[in-house]
Amino acid sequence: MAEKKEKQTAQKPEVVVYCGPSVRGIAKQYTVYHGRLPDTLVKFLAKHPAAQSLCVPLSEFATTRAGLNTKGSPQAALYKTILNEL
């Protein structure tokens, strides 16, 4: 069992893509982050919870991007919600 725990902690940091709208001084759309998110983005995500759903693991990026380009999709609705909050 100790080997499994070591493998889990030795994993590479998660790669995350911000797919929300670009916000000056905070994040550009489709920025890739390795590991920890910048404090400015963390504060933005706390203030705009809808944006959290558009900060996705790299493995989900293609699906999320396709959703952003599909009218009426959950991703497109979230994107519009965030734009309206800005």
Side-chain angles (χ1 to χ4, degrees), residues 36-64:
R36 191 167 181 254
L37 298 176
D39 290 337
T40 54
L41 181 56
V42 171
K43 289 176 186 175
F44 175 79
L45 295 174
K47 191 173 181 180
H48 302 278
Q52 293 176 11
S53 297
L54 293 179
C55 214
V56 299
L58 186 60
S59 60
E60 295 177 21
F61 173 65
T63 304
T64 301

